[in-house]
């Protein structure tokens, strides 16, 4: 029962009303107390009086405000208020600053539907008044002390010498007798004790003085009236001049009704007559005339004074104040409420309000018509009872966002009382009170008919597709959201799309996103979108459309709006290709030839540069495995690190050149995201441990395990960003975080990936240089940390190539956070999941030498390979000591290997690497020698260099596949630089190669590959 009352009280507070302006602007502190005695609301004046803001005041325990004695007074008065009896008491309370203040507190019951649901607390600060009273009391005590206990007689007289008082309260009546000579001989008198009367007179004078003090300085009008029908003024305080313009003498002796507005006289008289039988305080509001003739609103609070002897009404004591501003505020509030009510009730849309649990509180008649339920039924329901179960999850999601203060617009389906499904467009707006969300407004429009129109348009577009297919011009239609609803065959061919792929997509983001200069094309400037907004047909003589493969062509097009019943429901675009001019074609072909030549040159240079680099790196690695003194090892480490740095610079330059030439291709596949990130992180764990830096990563709970994207490019981006973070961080931590973001297209997945560090940070005025090619922030930084300035530029271009964006947040001295988005796909059902697993397995089978395709497998096998190498080293050490076994002699059941490599240094490095792993490989120096070796001996596995003189590795592999019997067919692993592999991948696989290895070769990768094929071929591992 109490909870119901408290809930009703809070509901009334939320709905507000005509009292709200008075409540907010009243100078006295007004609080609302529920039936349990708890403060639930307070007006702004409370903060001025107590020092606590209203939201903080209502949370305070009573012990912070009142002592135990004052709390007893409060509880007694509060109990009477719950019995519908107003009352007041005076109490001391503790201000926020710690000082004790005095207050006059009045409790008034809040009655709703003949039931007390709360109590108003109206408090006035009387600290200053009490201070004045205390000062007067002390002065009176001092006067009485002096006059009563002084040895001398103390008297006071008026200006004529008349005695007003004498101490010690003695007045004598005496006669004097004289002798014959005239000398007084005796005095006879009577003495009367008037001490008590003196005290009464002094108290009366003090009371009168205090009354004058209050009446003269009070801002309210204090008056006494006769208790009859005329209510004649017996006394009026000085504030009558300020409030009404009348001197008190002008009002005394006049009936109060002479100053009333004529319309208010009978109302006030009737009210006062009804109050004469009550001994309680009354309050009445009316209009009163000022001396200048204007009327203002007065609120009078008064009570009747009764004769102590007869018990009859003696007079009325009234305190009045100007409430004109309050009445005006109430009037404006009432007008505002009426306007809101009219808007709410007569809006053509269905309007309702809900609490934070989604239960309907108020609603208009249109919402009743939409749902088929009456108002009483709906106020006992929530939106969960109306929404179609298929759309309930999405609706709850938008409702939760609205509860967070974010307005929402979305479409859903409701089921009316008759069971009919109705498609609606919903707008949810949060209801804010004191910066807190207390509920949600909803506006609903029935879009069922509009949806049917769209379906009809789509149906018509399908029926007319045959007609449109015979037209040579490209034609496509858009709905009101800018998404394609139909496209003819000519348009699809010119744009490079299948018709079904283009339908449902935004044409602006697909074919009209960039100008001919390469800059972004703002949607607001697009003539097609402008026509859909204003309904004006437009013709464009020259513009650029973009094909699916990334190429562009010049078009001339017209766009016309589709109008249904006076409403724009879409647009039709008709275009044709105007790039037939020979100059444009020749320029395009020339640019393509230049790009092709550049690409071929880069591939050749990459191979030629990498060949000696492989020798340097390989020989250095072999040298480091020998017994060296400290100085020799120091020099060899420098050679190794410098070679790796030079190779990284070469990779950056070549990658950048490929991207600039448009030759960077993406290979999308289904892969394990966690394994991909883990492989990139583990690459830097040794360096991070060396610098005592924590390197961790976190993948959000809503990120799927398997995604469809390019794992190689994703790992390359992560490696660049983590490497940068590690380079510029001396202490602290590096965190990689992956979270899923909302995406408008349900079939796509948007991931946000961030790399945060606690490094040196980047000055704000230098951040614009970050993603520029060959850009360094500062020469000093460049000299200390090194780098080409291409890493972030390559990351930016790769991210954009994959459809995302990259940005940075950094503060100098505190660290940096690089964020990029990744648009990818995910497995939607079990059938697709099975397909993804098959693709992944195929990759592992055909390209097991490329570790980036299966990161989880690589991790486990690298550990096994490391153990294998350690074991092999131990065996070699034993052989060296004992001299009984030669590690170069192949054991029975071990893989037989052939190395086809034309470069002598690289060949020597690889052979020694295999010998250290316990193998005894044979060597061929070109493709012809490799074919001859296979024809003379059976090999289990061939490492085949792709680029060799006399005969290349691809042709040699093809011949081996053609001539060698199936039961003797060796496994062929291709070897070359990254650039050659990317260009020749399909040819290599088609020639029969089972996998590919990138140069320079890594011992761990080779060990993993040999272990894998030993297992597959049933051979023993070295």
């Amino acid at each position: 029962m109490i909870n119901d009352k408290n809930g009703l009280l809070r509901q009334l507070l939320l709905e507000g009303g005509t009292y709200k302006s008075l409540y907010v602007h009243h100078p006295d502190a007004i609080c609302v107390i529920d039936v349990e005695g708890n403060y639930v609301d307070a007006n702004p004046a409370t903060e001025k009086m107590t020092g606590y803001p209203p939201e903080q005041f209502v949370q305070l325990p009573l012990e912070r405000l009142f002592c135990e004695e004052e709390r007893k007074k409060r509880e007694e008065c509060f109990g009477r208020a719950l019995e519908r009896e107003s009352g007041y008491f005076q109490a001391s309370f503790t201000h926020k600053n710690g000082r004790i203040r005095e207050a006059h507190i009045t409790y008034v019951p809040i009655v709703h539907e003949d039931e007390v649901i709360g109590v108003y607390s109206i408090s006035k600060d009387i600290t200053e008044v009490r201070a004045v009273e205390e000062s007067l009391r002390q002065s009176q005590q001092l006067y009485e002390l002096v006059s009563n206990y002084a040895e001398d007689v103390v008297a006071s007289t008026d200006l004529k010498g008349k005695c007003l008082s004498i101490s010690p309260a003695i007045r004598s009546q005496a006669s004097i007798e004289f002798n014959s000579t005239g000398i007084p001989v005796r005095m006879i008198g009577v003495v009367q004790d008037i001490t008590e009367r003196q005290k009464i007179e002094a108290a009366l004078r003090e009371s009168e003085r205090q009354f004058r003090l209050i009446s003269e300085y009070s801002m309210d009008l204090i008056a006494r009236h006769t208790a009859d029908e005329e209510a004649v003024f017996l006394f009026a305080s000085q504030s009558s001049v300020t409030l009404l313009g009348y001197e008190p003498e002008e009002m005394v002796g006049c009936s109060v009704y002479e100053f009333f507005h004529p319309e208010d006289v009978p109302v006030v008289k009737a009210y006062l007559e009804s109050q004469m039988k009550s001994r309680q305080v009354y309050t009445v509001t009316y209009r009163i005339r000022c001396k200048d003739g204007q009327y203002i609103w007065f609120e009078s609070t008064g009570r009747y004074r009764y004769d102590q002897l007869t018990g009859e009404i003696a007079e009325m004591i009234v305190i009045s104040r100007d409430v004109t501003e309050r009445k005006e505020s109430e009037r404006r509030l009432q007008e505002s409420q009426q306007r809101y009510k009219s808007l709410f009730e007569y809006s053509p849309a269905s309007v309702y309000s809900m609490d934070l649990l989604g239960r309907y509180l108020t609603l208009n008649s249109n919402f009743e018509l939409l749902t088929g339920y009456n108002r009483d039924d709906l106020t006992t329901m929530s939106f969960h009872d109306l929404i179609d179960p298929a759309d309930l999850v999405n609706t709850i999601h938008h409702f939760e966002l609205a509860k967070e203060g974010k307005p929402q617009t979305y479409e859903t389906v409701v089921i009316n009382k008759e069971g009919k499904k109705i498609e609606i467009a919903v707008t949810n707006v949060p209801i804010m009170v004191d910066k807190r969300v207390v509920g949600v407004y909803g506006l609903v429009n029935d879009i069922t008919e509009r949806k049917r129109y769209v379906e009809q348009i789509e149906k018509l577009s399908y029926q007319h597709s045959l007609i449109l297919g015979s037209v040579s011009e490209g034609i496509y239609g858009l709905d009101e959201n800018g998404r394609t609803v139909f496209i003819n065959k000519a348009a699809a061919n010119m744009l490079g799309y299948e018709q079904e792929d283009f339908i449902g997509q935004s044409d602006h983001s697909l074919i009209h996103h960039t100008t001919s200069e390469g800059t972004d094309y703002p949607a607001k400037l697009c003539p097609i979108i402008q026509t859909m907004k204003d309904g004006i047909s437009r013709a464009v003589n020259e513009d650029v459309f973009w094909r699916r493969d990334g190429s562009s062509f010049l078009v001339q097009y017209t766009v016309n709006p589709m109008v249904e019943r006076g409403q724009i429901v879409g647009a039709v675009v008709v275009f044709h290709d105007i790039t037939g001019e020979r100059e444009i074609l020749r320029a395009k072909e020339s640019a393509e030839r230049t790009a092709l030549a550049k690409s071929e040159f880069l591939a050749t240079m990459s191979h030629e540069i990498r060949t000696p680099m492989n020798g340097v790196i390989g020989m250095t690695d072999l040298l480091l495995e020998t017994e060296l003194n400290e100085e020799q090892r120091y020099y060899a480490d420098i050679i190794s690190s410098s070679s790796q740095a030079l190779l990284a610079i070469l990779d950056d330059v070549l990658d950048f050149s490929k991207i600039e030439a448009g030759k960077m291709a993406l290979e999308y596949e289904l892969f394990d995201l966690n394994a991909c990130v883990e492989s990139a992180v583990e690459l830097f764990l040794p360096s991070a441990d060396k610098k005592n830096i924590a390197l961790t990563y976190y993948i959000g709970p809503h990120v799927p395990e398997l995604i469809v994207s390019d794992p190689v490019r994703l790992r390359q981006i992560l490696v660049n960003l983590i490497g940068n973070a590690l380079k510029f961080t001396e202490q602290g931590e590096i965190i990689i975080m992956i979270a899923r973001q909302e995406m408008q297209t349900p079939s796509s997945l948007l991931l946000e990936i961030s790399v945060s560090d606690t490094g040196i940070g980047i000055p704000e005025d230098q951040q614009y240089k970050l993603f520029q090619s060959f850009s360094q922030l500062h020469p000093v930084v460049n000299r200390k940390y090194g780098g080409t300035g291409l890493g972030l530029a390559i990351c930016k271009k790769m991210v954009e190539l994959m459809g995302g964006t990259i940005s940075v947040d950094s503060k100098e001295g505190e660290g940096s956070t690089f964020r990029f988005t990744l648009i990818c796909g995910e497995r939607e059902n079990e059938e697709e999941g099975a397909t993804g697993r098959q693709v992944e397995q195929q990759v592992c089978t055909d390209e097991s030498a490329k570790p980036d395709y299966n990161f989880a497998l690589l991790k486990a096998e690298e550990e096994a390979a490391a153990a294998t190498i350690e074991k092999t080293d131990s065996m070699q050490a034993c052989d060296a000591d004992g001299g009984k076994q030669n590690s170069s002699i192949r054991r029975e059941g071990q893989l037989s290997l052939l190395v086809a490599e034309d470069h002598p240094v690289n060949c020597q490095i690889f052979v020694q690497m295999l010998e250290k792993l316990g193998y005894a490989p044979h060597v061929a120096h070109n493709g012809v020698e490799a074919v001859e070796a296979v024809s003379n001996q059976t090999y289990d596995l061939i490492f085949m260099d792709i680029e060799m003189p006399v005969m290349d590795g691809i042709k040699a592999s093809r011949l081996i596949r053609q001539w060698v019997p199936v039961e003797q067919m060796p496994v062929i692993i291709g070897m070359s630089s990254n650039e050659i592999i990317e260009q020749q991948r399909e040819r290599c696989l088609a020639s029969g190669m089972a996998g590919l290895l990138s140069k320079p070769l890594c011992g761990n990768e080779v060990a993993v590959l040999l272990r894998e094929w030993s297992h597959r071929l049933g051979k023993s591992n070295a």
Side-chain angles (χ1 to χ4, degrees), residues 212-351:
R212 285 197 305 272
L213 182 66
I214 294 173
S215 63
E216 289 175 2
Y217 291 98
S218 174
M219 297 300 295
D220 294 341
L221 174 60
I222 302 174
R224 294 168 38 235
H225 301 271
T226 59
D228 54 22
E229 293 184 355
E230 296 301 320
V232 176
F233 278 100
L234 300 177
F235 169 80
S237 66
Q238 192 64 31
S239 59
S240 62
V241 179
T242 305
L243 295 173
L244 300 173
Y246 298 103
E247 294 291 339
E249 294 79 8
E250 296 180 78
M251 303 188 73
V252 173
C254 298
S255 171
V256 69
Y257 299 117
E258 295 180 14
F259 302 93
F260 278 24
H261 192 285
E263 296 177 359
D264 295 342
V265 172
V267 177
V268 176
K269 281 187 174 182
Y271 177 75
L272 293 180
E273 288 178 3
S274 66
Q275 293 295 317
M276 291 184 68
K277 297 180 180 179
S278 172
R279 291 178 175 266
Q280 296 182 355
V281 176
Y282 66 83
T283 300
V284 63
T285 306
Y286 53 88
R287 288 167 290 180
I288 190 169
R289 186 183 69 253
C290 297
K291 193 170 183 178
D292 59 7
Q294 294 184 353
Y295 283 93
I296 64 173
W297 281 95
F298 247 36
E299 182 182 75
S300 295
T301 301
R303 69 186 309 166
Y304 293 100
R305 187 178 67 81
Y306 296 85
D307 190 293
Q308 295 182 354
L309 298 177
T310 65
E312 298 293 329
I313 298 176
E315 60 182 8
M316 293 185 292
I317 308 298
V318 181
I319 300 176
S320 305
R321 59 192 59 85
D322 185 355
V323 294
T324 305
E325 292 185 2
R326 190 186 78 190
K327 295 293 287 187
E328 179 63 22
S329 298
E330 291 175 355
R331 184 190 64 80
R332 290 196 299 268
L333 178 61
Q334 186 176 9
E335 290 180 357
S336 175
Q337 290 176 335
Q338 190 60 40
R339 286 194 296 270
Y340 165 75
K341 183 178 180 181
S342 298
L343 177 64
F344 187 91
E345 186 61 38
Y346 300 111
S347 171
S350 299
V351 187

Side-chain angles (χ1 to χ4, degrees), residues 348-352 367 370 387 391 394-395 398 408-414 422-428 441-451 480-481 567:
S350 299
V351 187
Y352 56 86
F367 193 62
L370 177 72
I387 298 299
D391 290 338
N394 181 56
T395 304
H398 289 288
Q408 299 292 304
T409 300
Y410 57 96
E411 295 181 1
T412 187
V413 177
V414 298
I422 303 174
E423 298 180 78
I424 58 173
V426 183
T427 298
N428 286 151
Y441 279 124
L443 286 85
V444 171
N445 288 292
D446 186 349
I447 60 171
T448 306
E449 187 176 357
R450 189 177 71 185
K451 285 282 190 178
E480 66 271 23
N481 296 318
Q567 183 179 0

Side-chain angles (χ1 to χ4, degrees), residues 770-784:
L770 283 178
F771 300 106
Q772 296 179 5
S773 305
F774 307 101
S775 174
Q776 297 285 350
L777 296 184
H778 194 277
V780 176
V781 176
N782 185 31
R783 286 195 297 271
K784 180 177 180 181

Side-chain angles (χ1 to χ4, degrees), residues 55 403-405 430-438:
E55 59 272 11
K403 285 168 56 178
E404 296 175 6
I431 303 173
M432 308 293 293
V433 176
D434 294 333
K435 299 182 180 180
R436 293 187 304 171
V437 179
V438 298

Side-chain angles (χ1 to χ4, degrees), residues 15-54:
E15 293 179 354
T18 57
Y19 79 97
K20 194 67 176 182
S21 178
L22 170 63
Y23 176 74
V24 172
H25 298 98
H26 200 283
D28 294 340
I30 303 178
C31 306
V32 179
I33 310 174
D34 62 21
V35 294
E36 295 178 303
N38 300 316
Y39 291 106
V40 296
D41 196 16
N43 71 344
T46 305
E47 181 176 4
K48 181 178 179 182
M49 181 172 175
T50 66
Y52 295 100

Side-chain angles (χ1 to χ4, degrees), residues 332-524:
R332 290 196 299 268
L333 178 61
Q334 186 176 9
E335 290 180 357
S336 175
Q337 290 176 335
Q338 190 60 40
R339 286 194 296 270
Y340 165 75
K341 183 178 180 181
S342 298
L343 177 64
F344 187 91
E345 186 61 38
Y346 300 111
S347 171
S350 299
V351 187
Y352 56 86
S353 65
M354 299 180 290
D355 61 16
L356 295 180
L357 297 178
R359 297 174 298 198
Y360 296 109
L361 301 176
T362 59
L363 50 101
N364 67 355
S365 56
N366 285 337
F367 193 62
E368 294 182 83
L369 295 175
L370 177 72
T371 62
Y373 295 95
N374 60 40
R375 192 181 304 266
D376 293 336
D377 292 338
L378 287 169
T379 52
T380 63
M381 302 167 66
S382 72
F383 71 86
H384 301 79
D385 303 318
L386 297 180
I387 298 299
D388 187 353
D391 290 338
L392 186 57
V393 174
N394 181 56
T395 304
I396 293 175
H397 169 72
H398 289 288
F399 179 73
E400 292 298 325
L401 291 177
K403 285 168 56 178
E404 296 175 6
K406 303 172 184 177
Q408 299 292 304
T409 300
Y410 57 96
E411 295 181 1
T412 187
V413 177
V414 298
I415 302 177
N416 67 7
K417 190 174 183 179
E418 298 176 355
K420 179 183 177 182
K421 293 186 178 182
I422 303 174
E423 298 180 78
I424 58 173
V426 183
T427 298
N428 286 151
V429 180
I431 303 173
M432 308 293 293
V433 176
D434 294 333
K435 299 182 180 180
R436 293 187 304 171
V437 179
V438 298
V440 175
Y441 279 124
L443 286 85
V444 171
N445 288 292
D446 186 349
I447 60 171
T448 306
E449 187 176 357
R450 189 177 71 185
K451 285 282 190 178
R452 298 297 173 266
Y453 289 154
V454 174
E455 292 174 359
Q456 292 176 7
I457 292 173
E458 294 174 350
K459 183 178 180 180
L460 288 174
S461 66
Y462 174 75
Q463 293 174 347
H464 297 160
S465 60
L466 293 177
I467 300 174
L468 294 174
S470 63
V471 180
S472 60
E473 287 85 359
I475 303 174
Y476 65 89
L478 307 172
D479 62 15
E480 66 271 23
N481 296 318
R483 300 191 178 277
T484 309
V485 294
F486 68 86
I487 182 172
N488 71 341
K489 190 173 183 62
N493 291 337
M494 281 189 278
L495 296 172
Y497 286 88
E498 296 295 332
Q499 289 176 279
E500 57 272 16
D501 293 340
F502 198 77
I503 291 177
Q505 303 294 324
S506 169
D507 77 311
H508 186 79
S509 60
L510 286 182
I511 67 172
H512 209 202
H513 49 78
T514 308
T515 65
S516 57
E517 289 79 16
T519 59
D520 291 339
Y521 202 147
K524 62 182 180 180

Side-chain angles (χ1 to χ4, degrees), residues 886-904:
N886 188 347
S887 63
S888 63
I889 300 175
R890 182 168 62 91
R891 297 193 299 269
E892 290 297 328
Q894 196 179 39
L895 287 176
S896 58
L897 305 180
L898 173 66
V899 176
E901 169 63 65
D902 64 305
H903 196 279

Side-chain angles (χ1 to χ4, degrees), residues 24-206:
V24 172
H25 298 98
H26 200 283
D28 294 340
I30 303 178
C31 306
V32 179
I33 310 174
D34 62 21
V35 294
E36 295 178 303
N38 300 316
Y39 291 106
V40 296
D41 196 16
N43 71 344
T46 305
E47 181 176 4
K48 181 178 179 182
M49 181 172 175
T50 66
Y52 295 100
E55 59 272 11
Q56 186 178 356
F57 176 81
V58 299
Q59 301 296 330
L60 289 176
L62 292 178
E63 292 78 4
R64 291 281 296 276
L65 293 174
F66 303 110
C67 65
E68 183 177 358
E69 182 179 353
E70 306 296 356
R71 291 199 299 272
K72 290 180 179 179
K73 294 181 183 179
R74 176 186 181 274
E75 291 174 0
E76 180 180 352
C77 193
F78 179 73
R80 293 200 304 269
L82 292 179
E83 298 297 329
R84 304 194 181 189
E85 180 181 350
S86 299
Y88 65 89
F89 63 97
Q90 293 184 359
S92 300
F93 68 93
T94 304
H95 193 273
K96 187 177 182 180
N97 58 19
R99 297 180 179 178
I100 303 299
R101 308 286 294 178
E102 299 287 336
H104 182 279
I105 305 173
T106 302
Y107 278 1
V108 180
I110 303 175
V111 180
H112 179 76
E113 295 182 355
D114 200 32
E115 184 176 15
V116 176
I117 64 171
V119 174
Y120 281 124
S121 169
I122 307 171
S123 305
K124 181 185 290 292
D125 192 336
I126 60 171
T127 306
E128 284 74 16
V129 175
R130 292 295 294 271
V132 172
E133 292 177 353
E134 180 64 19
S135 177
L136 292 175
R137 186 185 64 79
Q138 293 177 359
S139 298
Q140 179 66 25
Q141 289 178 348
L142 180 61
Y143 172 77
E144 292 177 356
L145 181 64
V146 172
S147 63
N148 290 336
Y149 296 99
E151 294 182 359
D152 297 331
V153 175
V154 180
S156 62
T157 64
D158 59 15
L159 294 177
K160 296 181 180 180
K162 183 178 179 180
C163 183
L164 300 176
S165 64
I166 188 170
S167 66
I170 297 176
R171 181 174 298 161
S172 301
Q173 296 180 358
S175 63
I176 303 173
E177 294 183 2
F178 301 89
N179 58 16
S180 58
T181 62
I183 298 174
V185 295
R186 186 171 58 181
M187 182 175 64
I188 302 174
V190 178
V191 179
Q192 180 182 3
D193 185 355
I194 61 171
T195 304
E196 192 64 31
R197 189 174 69 188
Q198 278 288 94
K199 292 181 179 180
I200 295 174
E201 290 176 354
L204 179 60
R205 286 194 303 273
E206 178 63 19

